[in-house]
Amino acid sequence: MSIPEDIVQRIKELRDAIELHDYNYYMLDTPAIPDAEYDGLFRELQELERSHPQLVTLDSPTQRVGGSALKEFSQVFHRTPMLSLGNAFNVSEVEAFDRRVRQTLGLDNVEYAVEPKFDGLAISLCYVDGLLATGATRGDGYIGEDVTANLRTVKSIPLQLLGSPAGGRRPPRFMEVRGEVLMLKADFEKLNLQQRERKEKEFINPRNAAAGSLRQLDPAISANRKLTFYAYGIGISEEGEVPRDKHDHVLDYLASLRFLVARERGVVMGAAGLLDYHQRIGANRVSLPYDIDGTVYKVNSLVQQEKLGFVSRAPRFALAHKFPAQEASTELLDIGVQVGRTGALTPVARLKPVFVGGVTVTNATLHNEDEIKRKDVRIGDHVIVRRAGDVIPEIVAVQKEKRPPDAKPFVMRDDCPVCGSKAVRLPGEALTRCTGGLFCPAQRKQAILHFASRRAMNIDGLGEKLINQLVESALVRTPADLYRLGIAALATLERIADKSATNILKAIEKSKDTTLARFIYALGIRNVGETTAKDLARYFGGLDPMIAADVEALQQVPDIGPVVAESIADFLDERHNLEVIEQLRACGVRWKEGDGTCRAAIAHPESSDSLHASEIAGKTFVLTGALLNLAREGAKEKIEAAGGRVKGTVSKKTDYVVAGADPGSKYDKAVELGVTVLDEEGLLRLLGDL
Ligand code: IVH
């Protein structure tokens, strides 16, 4: 029985529409239709295919998760071998690479295409007449494993190329697309959260999680662990419009076929351009959505690439410039306990020194007792240490297969290792705390260190060593004592030269002129960070109204809930704390007091300034996209100056989202939650600047 033409046509329409919506949703992060509408299209397609099974083709979006679990993967021969890249770890190796390239080509300066080096797994996708035929791992470079069924579940891999015959443009008859499959950091966090909830083993890092998902024999499991594919090149291609001149054009072409390619790609000149790019990517590494382990440089001209050719298994025209490894294995020698500012006892791993993330690491945080239990860390274990960027190194996993028989479990102590006071763990809390309060020198030191820190009172030169000396010699017991220090007292300390003593006294003097928000933050009240301190200062306008407020009144402050209100009230109930505040004021610590924002808005309702102020005061803003007239920071300052708050994430409590050019997913979230969206002009109007 022949199938009516309109059904064939409708199926095609639905498939094209779903592919386009997948692209908008997964790749551009800008869904064009609501989820429910998308589900409707998908269901309609599923139903049509169910009643006309002869029309089901492998490139249909309904077939992404298909087939049953495999027994093993079969082998795939790569028509173009999947080679590796030569590595460079420092500036001189990069300069030597550029020198060799210039010499071989007989040029003074060479153009390079530059990209991040994705930390995932190399993949080759074969398209035949525009349809995905196979997807394979790299294997030994010549023969890989056929993981097509799993790769079909990856939404960023087109099942059908845009230029397929039906679409008008001619796709290559045959094409190998090369790239890397990885797990985005956000998807990794979600997966591990799910693993934790199900009491299943967590993955060490996104790369391990991606590898595990890709090699799942059951595509349904693979589909549940979201992977993403980034393309970085083309192997063999036959016919079609594949660019044959420059690598950056190849990447643009791949993007036009709806492959994801790194946004951070670029074209630079010479070794200086390469090093500058490496430095910039390194500085932005943490904010990328995926892990990278370096940058990749490729001679941009494909003709020049061919001239340069290959040595053994790596091209002479390309180089991987690696960042120092962020993970390393070492031995856990002991677990110590550190006392923090609020008395929290933090277990700290004492490690056999290991070079990781560019420095030698000997200590790593273990967070708390539960974390140690969860990871089953024992003294004597071999562990994997991670140091990403400037964050505190942490233990991510234990290599249990190497566990010595005498490895010892950790037991949290019930006294403070510094002052000997009782240490207690309250029900529902993860942390054990020293009950010594400011009697405990460790807490005292931390409290003063915090008080003097850059974002608090900003006392230049008053670092950890000096504070330790000051507290140990009993010259300083409370922050107020800092303002009573004289040159004679400082001179009694070891290794303090006259000149640095004078400088420190000057810095202490200078810190007296401060703001209310900084002062509140400097007090080190539990649960009161910088933002809350700013909220409090803005709301109360002065310190005395804040001291007078009870828990209920404190909860009136926008964004302050019962827990934070309780911490503030507890702190201000302590006579000792009030005394220190009074002493600080008596020593000359001062700030400008103003009207609290709530009262300011009520006080002058009809003046036009306060009209704007009341539109902004107490309101929460989120900024997304590029602002043309107000650079982001400027916008933030202006909003804050008018009494508003600027936050990083959109929630139901957000009052306005300000969307500049090319806004990100925050814009979508705003639309989804029905939050008012302003453009830049709208914000300027609200600020009274238009
Ligand atoms: S180009 C001839 N570009 O690095 C080799 N490779 O050692 C062409 N990799 O496992 C490779 N990001 O999968 C290239 N932007 C990038 C890359 C990249 C990661 C991986 C590649 C392979 C390894 C090469």
Side-chain angles (χ1 to χ4, degrees), residues 83-85 115-118 121-122 138 179-180 232 296 298 315:
L83 303 177
S84 50
L85 290 170
E115 307 156 34
K117 185 169 188 307
F118 304 105
L121 301 117
R138 175 173 162 193
E180 197 99 342
Y232 57 62
V296 178
K298 298 168 191 170

